[in-house]
Amino acid sequence: MPLPLDLLTRPAREPIRRWVLKAFPRAKNGGLDYDHPHGDPGLFGPHSATWRVHADFPGMLAGGLAALTLQALHPLALAGVWDYSNFRGDMVGRLRRTTAFVGGTTYAPRAQAEALIEHVRQIHDHIVGHGEDGRPYSANDPELLTWVHVSEAYCFLQGYRRYSHAALPEDAADRYYDEVRRIAEALGARDVPASEHAVADYFRRIRPELAFTERSRVVLDLLARVRLPVPAAGLSRDLFLYAGHALLPDWALTLLRHTPWQRRQAQLAAHALWSVAPVFHAALKDGIASRACRRMDRPPEQLRHWG
């Protein structure tokens, strides 16, 4: 008789939990308060598709790395990163800031989530310049905001589908896209796709604007060498990065010039991450999603199910 999953995963839970906390440490002072005020649903609430998709750590980390990879194909979006981001010296910091923004806007009480969005809008006010071809760009450009949002939301949802071990209901993808567009619109995006069909159509329309440039290569080379301060840093990075590549659409892999061997690596990593994902699910039961559920008097376990 096979052992229950709970017994099989128990020995690995604490090491996995320590790994996650080293990679993405929790703010001790001055961070967001996910526990108060009681009953505040934030921007989405516990019945949302967003709370469920974003609660899946393996899918979100692989999806986040996939999104950064995909975003490197837009020359004007990349120009702002190139000119203003300190990604060359602190790629880990960039990953952590993105994670904090997504987590905060998903699970924090409404006033704190709105303050996060306003803070980012103010930062965007100062990010202006010209791309390599001389075209002007602005981080507040609605079209660039839409690109960054759609590429991110697509990869997060694909990560959930691939690694959560949960079946996605028929209407859940459309619910998710319709919900998370609120964040993009609050930042200034317009005409944000609100369904799976609309996202597919959006990618078809924007594809002629995308390109793999020398800047793309530099940024992605740095991403491929990033080292989180965790045990087995290189192996951990490769697992999630390659598992993220498995989430990308074929047209993006073609633009990125991925070889058959790189595609095979991605599939092997995807299988490995799917296999260990239940350990992450069992180990991470006291994070911000759980705290937000308790703020709403809901059991955190409900986020593993769709109702």
Side-chain angles (χ1 to χ4, degrees):
M1 179 178 178
L3 290 172
L5 181 62
D6 180 71
L7 289 177
L8 289 172
T9 62
R10 191 174 298 168
R13 287 183 200 170
E14 188 54 31
I16 288 289
R17 185 175 181 277
R18 288 198 301 269
W19 185 97
V20 173
L21 290 178
K22 280 181 175 292
F24 301 97
R26 297 172 183 174
K28 293 183 172 60
N29 298 300
L32 297 173
D33 184 355
Y34 290 96
D35 306 305
H36 307 95
H38 181 263
D40 187 320
L43 298 179
F44 301 104
H47 297 295
S48 67
T50 304
W51 274 33
R52 284 160 176 76
V53 172
H54 291 184
D56 186 72
F57 180 86
M60 287 296 285
L61 182 50
L65 292 169
L68 291 175
T69 302
L70 188 56
Q71 288 163 6
L73 291 172
H74 195 302
L76 286 185
L78 187 58
V81 173
W82 189 270
D83 292 342
Y84 288 91
S85 172
N86 64 342
F87 71 92
R88 298 169 186 83
D90 189 21
M91 182 67 82
V92 171
R94 186 184 178 209
L95 291 172
R96 287 173 171 169
R97 288 189 293 274
T98 300
T99 300
F101 178 79
V102 173
T105 52
T106 302
Y107 297 112
R110 177 174 290 272
Q112 295 182 62
E114 291 174 342
L116 270 179
I117 293 169
E118 180 57 28
H119 177 66
V120 170
R121 284 181 64 98
Q122 291 175 9
I123 292 173
H124 284 177
D125 287 341
H126 305 285
I127 300 178
V128 295
H130 292 82
E132 287 185 279
D133 61 1
R135 286 184 295 162
Y137 72 80
S138 165
N140 280 330
D141 181 341
E143 293 185 6
L144 292 185
L145 288 166
T146 299
W147 160 253
V148 171
H149 166 78
V150 174
S151 54
E152 190 174 82
Y154 171 85
C155 291
F156 287 158
L157 184 62
Q158 294 304 106
Y160 184 88
R161 278 182 161 138
R162 193 74 178 255
Y163 305 121
S164 71
H165 288 245
L168 201 67
E170 187 175 346
D171 67 337
D174 288 352
R175 283 174 54 195
Y176 175 71
Y177 284 125
D178 191 42
E179 289 170 6
V180 293
R181 70 185 171 97
R182 300 174 205 167
I183 305 297
E185 290 169 350
L187 287 168
R190 291 198 298 267
D191 301 320
V192 182
S195 70
E196 193 152 37
H197 175 79
V199 167
D201 184 61
Y202 172 82
F203 279 140
R204 279 192 294 271
R205 286 186 283 108
I206 202 169
R207 219 174 296 172
E209 300 179 33
L210 307 179
F212 183 80
T213 66
E214 177 61 18
R215 286 184 174 184
S216 305
R217 186 193 63 76
V218 170
V219 170
L220 294 179
D221 281 352
L222 287 170
L223 187 61
R225 295 200 300 270
V226 67
R227 295 183 70 85
L228 294 167
V230 297
L235 181 61
S236 300
R237 174 202 59 226
D238 289 350
L239 172 65
F240 282 97
L241 183 62
Y242 296 154
H245 291 171
L247 307 176
L248 295 171
D250 284 340
W251 59 261
L253 296 176
T254 299
L255 275 177
L256 289 161
R257 305 172 190 172
H258 278 205
T259 65
W261 169 237
Q262 286 175 303
R263 296 184 187 219
R264 177 61 177 158
Q265 279 184 309
Q267 295 308 315
L268 291 171
H271 178 74
L273 183 57
W274 187 89
S275 298
V276 300
V279 184
F280 281 91
H281 301 151
L284 302 176
K285 293 186 174 181
D286 61 343
I288 60 175
S290 296
R291 291 169 62 187
C293 282
R294 295 186 184 102
R295 188 180 76 236
M296 295 297 298
D297 293 324
R298 302 283 181 176
E301 294 75 21
Q302 81 163 51
L303 298 185
R304 296 291 303 157
H305 308 283
W306 291 82

